[in-house]
Amino acid sequence: FVAFGGGTTSVATVNVTKEETWEGFNVKLQGALGAGKVYGVAYVDPGEAEKKAKICRNAGEWVDCMACMLRESDRELEIDLLDQPPVKPYRLSLKLNKKEKKKISYPNPYEREVTFELSASTEHAVLKEKSVTIPKGEKGPIILSFPPVSEPRTETIIVGLHEKDSDFTHTVKIIAAWSTDA
């Protein structure tokens, strides 16, 4: 695997065996980098018509990533290092002059249970809970209350989900639009 840190110059090369595990790859990657935490890696399967980036963060996703690399004739796959989880976007339509409650779901990409401490960037979105625990591979609810707003407007609200057992903060970007049509 040839690792890139967001630019056009590689920052590490990691040699693996066909039987390499996700955990083994991470140990080798950390050794090659020397420092820093890695949330996961992104890669593009050159064999697919749609060149959409895939993310590898756990053993299940590692199986697909390894299969992609093994299909390559030179057994080399370029990966981009992810130091933070990608931002998850949502759009919410809210009615004017009405208190609203909305529930969004956030996936747990790990093969373990995870607890997130929640925070919101504005007083226009009140979180029902201060934390949420999501079982492995499932989705968990984030419930937000919105006070009444009298004028049509759109606001970007950032909800942070900080992992209690790591330094990773997941981000949910909500575009909230108040209107008479909601």
Side-chain angles (χ1 to χ4, degrees):
F1 288 90
V2 179
F4 292 82
T8 57
T9 305
S10 66
V11 295
T13 300
V14 180
N15 295 316
V16 298
T17 65
K18 290 180 184 179
E19 296 80 29
E20 196 75 58
T21 65
W22 172 244
E23 292 77 17
F25 170 74
N26 268 304
V27 168
K28 289 180 177 181
L29 180 59
Q30 291 297 326
L33 293 173
K37 289 182 82 169
V38 175
Y39 169 73
V41 298
Y43 66 98
V44 174
D45 186 340
E48 289 187 357
E50 185 180 330
K51 304 291 188 220
K52 186 177 177 185
K54 298 179 179 186
I55 297 177
C56 178
R57 303 161 287 211
N58 59 46
E61 293 169 344
W62 175 248
V63 171
D64 294 336
C65 184
M66 275 294 286
C68 177
M69 189 269 298
L70 292 171
R71 285 191 301 271
E72 289 298 291
S73 59
D74 60 0
R75 299 287 192 259
E76 184 175 285
L77 186 66
E78 293 180 358
I79 56 174
D80 289 315
L81 303 178
L82 303 174
D83 60 357
Q84 288 293 324
V87 173
K88 187 151 180 70
Y90 286 90
R91 292 194 177 278
L92 297 178
S93 297
L94 304 165
K95 293 182 181 173
L96 289 177
N97 300 311
K98 184 178 179 209
K99 181 178 179 181
E100 296 232 39
K101 186 190 292 188
K102 296 285 185 175
K103 177 174 88 171
I104 60 174
S105 295
Y106 193 81
N108 174 0
Y110 302 116
E111 294 179 334
R112 60 177 167 77
E113 180 178 270
V114 66
T115 298
F116 295 109
E117 294 176 347
L118 306 175
S119 63
S121 64
T122 177
E123 69 275 357
H124 295 285
V126 179
L127 293 158
K128 181 178 179 185
E129 305 290 337
K130 298 216 183 285
S131 68
V132 61
T133 299
I134 306 173
K136 70 178 186 172
E138 294 188 22
K139 293 182 178 182
I142 299 172
I143 300 170
L144 299 132
S145 293
F146 297 89
V149 170
S150 59
E151 297 291 323
R153 72 168 199 242
T154 301
E155 184 175 341
T156 299
I157 300 163
I158 303 297
V159 175
L161 295 91
H162 185 77
E163 290 182 35
K164 286 187 169 188
D165 59 348
S166 79
D167 288 332
F168 294 126
T169 298
H170 301 241
T171 303
V172 173
K173 180 180 178 181
I174 299 170
I175 307 297
W178 285 266
S179 71
T180 55
D181 303 336

